[in-house]
């Protein structure tokens, strides 16, 4: 189905700065206290956590949009100003034969010019939504600023135009700094004086505080981070600086002085992913259902205005059990779920797959010199879920065929049988095993629940899975259901593209991509084990001492959400108390599990080799791990068979 591009937008940059009627208020919004706190805030979150949408929502283009009604005086007490760095331009202000001090002054000047213009833009937006104070704003006299620059004009529109021209001149100088003398650099105090002029001359803005939100802090160089850190540390009303960044990005705590920036004392940290985790299913589903409601003319939501309401009563309503279940049921109708038993039935009803299953079982029994049991099993009405795991059970060392057969008969006759646990522990992995063998799309990746797990609290990934599935569906307009086959194609497409996207993740993107390919390949090779004696593996821990280089690599992988870091609940041997989950959005590319089950152990040297080593060294890691688990299968066969 061809769908309007409006519904497929999933990045903040695609919406512009006015997010009125676009930004769904997060259920955790009230706990942020973003419009009440006067302390600087550092807002952390990975790609797709919604941090850019959130801070753009807080800024003047949205808060003072002409689409909004009834903007009161109280709404002007906190005015948000957004600044996303032009990274390519910022990088030009680094060395190139010049002293660090020159580029420090240049960076400060750039910030002052951009933020001054944004503050003036906020006045223009206020004028459009409050005609009663429009004249008062137009008459603001900025001539006091001539102390910084005698050429600065005194009226609002002329000042805005003048600052824009100064920024153009500044950009030209940065590109040709060796040929031209640098233009006049403005100090940060210019911002304070502009704000002072506004507060003194506009009665309704006399108590206004300007909150700057600097986005993508992680892309600044160390010197630029020191400058921003200094601004944060020195923040106080009416000018407060806040930062939005990815995890692990606060790698510089220094300021331009001797002090460092310190959490609690200097700022409050907000981790959006922690806040989002509890509400992710509902929140992501609300966003998708809203887009369907708005753009596909399917009125699945009887009302949408409450999704833009920040009042605590509305937020509580959206967290109530009945509401959450209602939203879940609505979206599950669109993306029906196939259970593991359903997929097992698909396997046994598919000519190619069913033949593969039977051939595996027959070969196992021949190897075990128990050929006569094949006909015995064939004569039974064995449920698909039991048939699909038989090869794994027979592949384990010391497999007791008569006992397995006896338990199978009990299971068929609804008696107490070990097959109940064996199916529970092995069916998912065995399904992936067979689909991986024939290189087919696996139905386990289809369904709303699978989308949620693969998205791992990443709104962008969830929406991409949903939108791509819709685009694959030819029957949507008639049924309002996306068939599993269409979902499977969409998941594979999204997984492939998200993996390729890693190359664009900063200056080390190609190395991150290489690591992701190699890690996925390890899990793929482990998935191919006939015995399936370990539940699905898609995470690892680091064994032994961790080298500084390895720490840097892991930090970078976590920052870009290629990996998710968490504390170990059960620590074995020489493991360092942290485990890393491979982002499950990549699982379909490798036909590996997206469920968090078991981990493998890697060394610090393994991580470094997978990140930047040669292919032959990496192959040795793969061979070692697959051989290690083959030995483990042999040594723990009885436990694998009867205790898992």
């Amino acid at each position: 189905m061809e769908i309007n591009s409006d519904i497929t937008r999933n990045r903040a940059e695609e919406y512009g700065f006015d997010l009125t009627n676009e930004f769904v208020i997060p259920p955790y919004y009230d706990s942020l206290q973003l419009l009440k706190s006067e302390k600087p805030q550092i807002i952390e979150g990975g790609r797709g956590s919604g941090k850019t949408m959130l801070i753009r929502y807080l800024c003047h283009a949205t808060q003072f949009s002409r689409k909004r009604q009834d903007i009161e005086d109280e709404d002007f007490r906190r005015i948000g100003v957004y600044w996303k760095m032009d990274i390519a331009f910022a990088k030009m202000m680094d060395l190139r034969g010049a002293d660090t001090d020159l580029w420090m002054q240049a960076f400060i000047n750039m910030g002052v010019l951009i933020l001054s213009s944004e503050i003036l833009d906020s006045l223009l937006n206020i004028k459009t939504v409050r005609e009663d104070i429009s004249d008062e704003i137009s008459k603001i006299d900025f001539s006091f600023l001539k102390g910084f620059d005698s050429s600065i004009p005194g009226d609002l529109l002329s000042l805005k135009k003048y600052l824009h021209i100064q920024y153009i001149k500044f950009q030209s100088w940065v590109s040709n700094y060796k040929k031209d003398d640098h233009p006049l650099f403005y100090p940060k105090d210019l911002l304070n004086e502009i704000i002072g002029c506004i507060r003194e001359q506009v009665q309704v803005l006399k108590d206004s505080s300007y909150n700057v939100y600097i986005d993508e802090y992680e892309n600044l160089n160390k010197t630029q981070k020191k400058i921003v850190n200094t601004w944060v540390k020195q923040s106080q009303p009416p000018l407060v600086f806040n930062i939005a960044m990815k995890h692990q990005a606060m790698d510089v705590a220094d300021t331009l002085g001797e002090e460092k920036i310190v959490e609690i004392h200097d700022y409050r940290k907000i981790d959006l992913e922690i806040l989002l985790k509890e509400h992710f299913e509902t929140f992501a589903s609300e966003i998708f259902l809203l887009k369907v409601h708005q753009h596909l003319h399917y009125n699945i939501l009887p009302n949408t205005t409450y999704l833009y309401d920040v009042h605590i009563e509305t937020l509580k309503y959206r967290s109530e059990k009945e509401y959450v279940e209602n939203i879940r049921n609505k979206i599950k109708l669109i993306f029906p779920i196939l259970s593991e038993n359903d997929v097992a039935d698909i396997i046994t009803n598919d000519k190619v797959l069913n033949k593969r299953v039977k051939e595996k079982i027959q070969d196992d029994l021949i190897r075990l010199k128990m050929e006569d049991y094949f006909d015995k099993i064939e004569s039974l009405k064995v449920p698909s879920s039991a048939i699909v795991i038989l090869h794994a059970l027979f592949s384990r060392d010391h497999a007791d065929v008569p006992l397995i057969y006896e338990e199978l008969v009990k299971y068929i006759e609804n008696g107490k049988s070990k097959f109940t646990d064996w199916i529970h522990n092995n069916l998912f992995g065995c399904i992936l095993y067979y689909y991986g063998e024939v290189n087919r799309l696996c139905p386990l990746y289809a369904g709303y629940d699978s989308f949620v797990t693969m998205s791992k609290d990443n709104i962008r990934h969830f929406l991409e899975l949903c939108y791509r599935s819709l685009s694959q569906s030819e029957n949507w307009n008639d049924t309002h259901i996306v068939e599993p086959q269409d979902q499977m194609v969409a998941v594979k497409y999204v997984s492939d593209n998200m993996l390729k996207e890693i190359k664009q993740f900063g200056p080390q993107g190609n190395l991150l991509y290489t690591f992701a390919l190699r890690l996925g390949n390890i899990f793929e090779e482990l998935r191919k084990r006939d015995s399936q004696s370990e539940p699905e593996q898609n995470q690892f821990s680091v064994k032994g001492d961790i080298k500084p280089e390895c720490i840097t690599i892991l930090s970078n992988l976590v920052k870009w959400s290629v990996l998710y870091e968490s504390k170990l609940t059960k620590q074995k041997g020489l493991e360092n108390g942290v485990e890393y989950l491979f982002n499950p959005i990549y699982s379909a590319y490798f036909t590996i599990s997206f469920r968090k089950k078991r981990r493998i152990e890697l060394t610090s040297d393994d991580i470094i080799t997978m990140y930047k080593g040669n292919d032959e060294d990496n192959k040795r890691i793969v061979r070692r791990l697959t051989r290690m688990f083959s030995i483990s299968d042999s040594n723990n066969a009885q436990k694998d068979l009867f205790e898992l």
Side-chain angles (χ1 to χ4, degrees):
M1 178 181 76
E2 186 174 345
I3 56 178
N4 191 310
S5 61
D6 287 341
I7 194 176
T8 61
R9 291 181 293 175
N10 57 20
R11 295 174 60 87
E13 293 78 7
E14 297 172 315
Y15 288 95
F17 293 97
D18 183 356
L19 299 179
T20 309
N21 299 329
E22 297 290 352
F23 180 71
V24 177
I25 304 300
Y28 55 77
Y29 184 81
D30 188 63
S31 66
L32 297 175
Q33 299 291 306
L34 288 170
L35 298 177
K36 301 174 184 177
S37 173
E38 294 185 346
K39 185 179 285 292
Q41 294 155 336
I42 292 183
I43 303 171
E44 285 189 343
R47 291 164 59 86
S49 63
K51 63 181 182 299
T52 296
M53 288 286 282
L54 174 64
I55 60 179
R56 285 193 177 190
Y57 169 78
L58 295 170
C59 291
H60 64 83
T62 301
Q63 294 299 312
F64 309 137
S65 168
R66 63 182 65 195
K67 299 175 186 176
R68 298 184 63 192
Q69 298 177 349
D70 302 324
I71 296 177
E72 306 293 338
D73 291 358
E74 182 67 22
D75 296 323
F76 299 130
R77 291 185 64 85
R78 187 182 180 105
I79 299 174
V81 177
Y82 179 80
W83 180 21
K84 179 181 177 181
M85 199 71 57
D86 182 335
I87 302 305
F89 184 61
K91 285 183 177 179
M92 293 178 66
M93 290 181 282
D94 188 15
L95 300 179
R96 293 167 60 208
D99 292 337
T100 299
D101 286 346
L102 175 65
W103 292 128
M104 285 174 59
Q105 295 176 53
F107 180 81
I108 293 170
N109 179 65
M110 178 178 72
V112 170
L113 288 171
I114 291 174
L115 295 176
S116 297
S117 295
E118 279 292 312
I119 291 171
L120 299 180
D121 279 340
S122 74
L123 291 174
L124 297 177
N125 281 328
I126 292 171
K127 277 168 55 72
T128 64
V129 297
R130 287 287 297 271
E131 293 184 4
D132 58 315
I133 57 174
S134 178
D135 287 344
E136 195 175 358
I137 290 174
S138 296
K139 293 177 181 178
I140 298 175
D141 182 7
F142 291 101
S143 58
F144 181 77
L145 303 178
K146 290 183 180 294
F148 293 97
D149 177 358
S150 60
S151 299
I152 284 183
D155 66 281
L156 173 59
L157 294 180
S158 297
L159 177 59
K160 177 171 170 49
K161 182 178 180 180
Y162 181 81
L163 291 176
H164 181 64
I165 291 173
Q166 293 301 101
Y167 185 60
I168 292 174
K169 290 180 179 179
F170 172 71
Q171 287 178 305
S172 178
W173 170 79
V174 170
S175 298
N176 304 278
Y177 86 94
K178 290 184 178 180
K179 299 178 182 178
D180 303 319
D181 293 333
H182 72 72
L184 179 64
F185 286 165
Y186 297 110
K188 185 172 76 72
D189 283 345
L190 179 65
L191 296 174
N192 298 85
E193 296 302 332
I194 290 175
I195 293 171
C197 289
I198 295 169
R199 283 160 54 103
E200 289 174 6
Q201 299 178 59
V202 182
Q203 179 63 25
V204 77
L205 302 180
K206 65 183 178 64
D207 296 319
S208 294
S209 176
Y210 287 79
N211 278 262
V212 176
Y213 293 93
I214 301 177
D215 202 1
E216 298 193 358
Y217 169 89
E218 66 272 5
N219 290 323
L220 302 177
N221 66 35
K222 289 188 176 182
T223 300
Q224 293 163 353
K225 286 181 178 179
K226 287 181 182 179
I227 294 171
V228 172
N229 291 350
T230 303
W231 292 348
V232 170
K233 192 171 187 69
Q234 295 175 347
S235 288
Q236 59 181 354
L239 181 60
V240 177
F241 286 85
N242 309 276
I243 298 170
M245 65 183 188
K246 295 180 177 65
H247 290 294
Q248 311 278 4
M250 183 59 78
D251 55 347
V252 176
D254 296 327
T255 63
L256 296 179
E258 294 182 358
E259 295 182 300
K260 294 181 181 292
I261 186 172
V262 180
E263 186 178 358
I264 299 178
H265 179 74
D266 296 315
Y267 63 87
R268 176 187 174 215
K269 184 160 70 173
I270 299 172
D271 190 326
L272 291 187
E273 291 183 11
I274 292 176
L275 294 172
L276 180 62
K277 191 175 187 65
E278 180 183 350
H279 306 280
F280 175 74
E281 285 191 47
T282 305
F283 184 45
S285 300
E286 286 174 327
I287 295 172
F288 173 72
L289 293 175
L290 174 66
K291 298 303 179 185
V292 169
H293 182 94
Q294 289 177 328
H295 301 292
L296 296 184
H297 312 296
Y298 178 36
N299 296 328
I300 195 167
L301 295 173
N303 170 35
T304 61
T305 56
Y306 72 96
L307 295 174
Y308 311 121
D309 189 349
V310 300
H311 291 95
I312 185 64
E313 296 80 8
T314 303
L315 295 173
K316 285 182 177 178
Y317 161 71
R318 289 169 57 196
S319 296
E320 291 176 358
K321 184 177 180 180
E322 183 178 352
Y323 174 82
V324 169
E325 283 300 313
N326 184 40
I327 290 295
R328 176 178 169 81
N329 290 335
K330 286 179 182 295
I331 196 167
K332 281 177 68 176
L333 290 175
I334 297 174
F335 303 109
I337 297 167
L338 290 174
S339 69
E340 293 172 39
N341 288 334
D342 292 334
V343 180
D345 288 338
I346 292 173
I347 290 175
T348 56
N349 288 313
D350 181 282
K351 185 177 180 180
V352 173
L353 286 170
N354 188 47
K355 181 182 178 183
R356 182 64 62 94
V357 170
K358 289 186 176 181
E359 286 176 347
K360 292 282 186 182
I361 294 172
Q362 191 168 34
D363 289 344
D364 291 332
L365 293 171
I366 291 172
R367 173 177 50 80
L368 294 169
K369 298 182 174 25
M370 293 283 184
E371 298 95 320
D372 56 324
Y373 273 92
F374 183 77
D375 291 335
K376 289 183 180 181
I377 293 171
E378 281 277 270
S379 67
L380 300 173
K381 292 184 178 180
V382 184
S384 300
S385 56
I387 281 287
V388 170
I389 71 166
L390 276 177
H391 170 56
L393 300 181
F394 289 150
S395 296
R396 298 172 189 179
D397 284 1
H398 312 296
D400 190 333
V401 175
L403 187 141
I404 294 172
Y405 177 78
E406 179 183 332
E407 294 296 327
L408 181 60
V409 172
K410 290 180 186 177
Y411 183 73
I412 295 170
E413 295 175 349
N414 296 318
K416 185 177 180 181
S417 169
K418 295 182 185 295
F419 258 89
T420 302
D421 289 336
W422 291 344
I423 290 171
H424 174 76
N425 291 320
N426 294 280
L427 183 55
F428 197 99
C430 289
I431 289 172
L432 290 175
Y433 170 86
Y434 281 112
Y435 275 94
E437 273 219 325
V438 297
N439 195 27
R440 282 198 196 174
L441 299 173
C442 181
L444 290 175
Y445 297 111
Y448 168 72
D449 286 345
S450 297
F451 284 11
V452 169
T453 306
M454 283 186 285
S455 300
K456 191 64 176 67
D457 303 332
N458 186 304
I459 296 170
R460 181 192 168 204
H461 290 173
F462 178 82
L463 294 178
E464 191 66 23
L465 291 169
C466 293
Y467 297 153
R468 180 56 56 177
S469 296
L470 279 180
S471 69
Q472 291 292 329
S473 176
E474 295 183 359
N475 302 318
W476 162 260
N477 291 326
D478 298 324
T479 65
H480 294 141
I481 294 173
V482 181
E483 298 298 332
Q485 183 62 37
D486 295 326
Q487 297 179 49
M488 290 154 53
V489 174
V491 171
K492 185 64 165 60
Y493 176 89
V494 172
S495 184
D496 291 2
N497 278 273
M498 291 297 176
L499 189 69
K500 293 174 184 175
E501 191 182 66
I502 296 175
K503 296 177 183 179
Q504 310 304 319
F505 290 175
Q508 303 300 314
N510 286 328
L511 292 176
L512 296 174
Y513 176 70
T514 297
F515 179 90
L517 281 179
R518 289 173 169 176
L519 182 62
N521 179 248
I522 287 173
F523 293 132
E524 183 179 21
E525 290 300 314
L526 294 174
R527 185 261 299 154
K528 294 177 181 179
R529 295 197 313 275
D530 292 281
S531 66
Q532 294 293 306
S533 57
E534 287 278 351
E536 316 101 66
Q537 293 155 314
N538 59 0
Q539 56 187 327
F540 67 89
S541 61
V542 182
K543 181 179 179 180
D545 294 333
I546 303 184
K547 297 179 179 179
E549 183 180 6
C550 180
I551 294 173
T552 300
I553 291 169
L554 291 172
S555 177
N556 204 20
L557 290 160
V558 170
K559 180 174 77 174
W560 289 100
S561 299
V562 176
L563 301 176
Y564 290 99
E565 181 184 67
S566 61
K567 290 184 179 179
L568 279 173
T569 53
K570 293 182 180 180
Q571 197 167 331
K572 300 182 294 184
L574 299 176
E575 287 181 314
N576 294 274
V578 178
E579 61 184 356
Y580 298 90
L581 173 70
F582 192 37
N583 193 323
I585 198 65
Y586 309 132
S587 59
Y589 180 89
F590 300 100
T591 317
I592 60 176
S593 178
F594 49 83
R595 308 191 307 179
K596 184 178 179 180
K597 288 292 183 180
R598 293 287 180 88
R599 65 181 180 271
I600 62 174
E601 292 181 359
L602 298 173
T603 67
S604 189
D605 287 336
D606 290 338
I607 302 297
I608 295 170
T609 298
M610 292 164 62
Y611 189 73
K612 65 178 187 180
N614 61 47
D615 288 340
E616 189 53 43
D617 288 338
N618 184 70
K619 287 177 182 177
R620 279 194 284 269
I621 295 173
V622 176
R623 286 194 294 267
R624 188 192 83 229
L625 289 169
T626 52
R627 184 171 61 249
M628 180 187 304
F629 279 97
S630 295
I631 294 170
S632 175
D633 286 352
S634 176
N635 292 339
N636 297 291
Q638 293 300 320
K639 178 181 177 181
D640 289 337
L641 184 57
F642 300 116
E643 296 183 22
L644 285 179

